[in-house]
Amino acid sequence: RERRAETYRRLAEAADVQLSPRGTWLMYRVTDNAPITEAGLAQLLGVASSDLEQRLTELVAAGYVLMDGTAPVNRPANGDEAGRPASASVASVSVALTQAGQQAAGRLRAARQAGIDRLCTEWQPDQVPELRQLIGRVTTTLVASDTAPEHDAVGTPAAPGR
């Protein structure tokens, strides 16, 4: 837990996803729960709706998340910074992945799996596929219950892919 921000930064770099560690943390949560209402996601994560809106702005700006069917842009003409229509209430705003978000989520899943494989260098995953699935579920559960890394630069995305 002490090196969460570094871990999320490495995962984003490996997946070529331009998000900060906090954005990467949130991307995993949205991926695991979308589509979900903004209020439901805030409750699930145990954060205030205003804090969640601020964090979702990075995912909307990157084009990975769509809120209530609006286009994923930085500042829509008739809405707020999170890409929500001006008339939508937090309770009814749906948070879903865009096609680009689904692709990024797939790369993030692959990066997490590759990290697990590196940790198990002596283990041959193809010989025991059930164990690989179990470890995948355990790490997904651990990551899902993890709190957001708070000590990173919120607006600092991962370094561009190599």
Side-chain angles (χ1 to χ4, degrees):
R1 287 188 176 245
E2 297 92 30
R3 301 174 84 172
R4 285 181 294 162
E6 180 183 327
T7 298
Y8 285 112
R9 183 174 283 113
R10 280 195 319 255
L11 287 167
E13 286 175 2
D16 195 24
V17 172
Q18 304 299 309
L19 293 173
S20 69
R22 286 177 68 185
T24 304
W25 173 86
L26 185 57
M27 184 70 173
Y28 277 114
R29 271 100 200 129
V30 171
T31 299
D32 291 342
N33 297 287
I36 187 170
T37 64
E38 185 176 345
L41 186 59
Q43 181 179 7
L44 181 74
L45 300 177
V47 298
S49 292
S50 59
D51 186 35
L52 180 60
E53 288 176 32
Q54 179 184 14
R55 292 177 187 209
L56 282 170
T57 300
E58 181 180 4
L59 301 183
V60 171
Y64 295 146
V65 168
L66 195 63
M67 296 180 65
D68 206 35
T70 61
V73 295
N74 288 326
R75 291 182 180 265
N78 62 348
D80 67 13
E81 289 183 25
R84 175 183 27 249
S87 62
S89 73
V90 172
S92 65
V93 173
S94 177
V95 178
L97 294 173
T98 63
Q99 184 174 359
Q102 291 170 5
Q103 293 169 354
R107 292 192 310 270
L108 284 168
R109 269 192 299 276
R112 181 173 52 202
Q113 188 61 50
I116 293 167
D117 290 348
R118 280 191 304 278
L119 291 173
C120 302
T121 56
E122 298 296 316
W123 170 52
Q124 296 178 346
D126 295 334
Q127 290 181 351
V128 189
E130 297 86 9
L131 182 57
R132 180 184 201 130
Q133 289 174 346
L134 178 61
I135 290 174
R137 282 197 316 253
V138 167
T139 57
T140 298
T141 301
L142 288 173
V143 169
S145 64
D146 191 16
T147 56
E150 299 297 334
H151 300 290
D152 67 308
V154 175
T156 306
R162 295 173 203 134

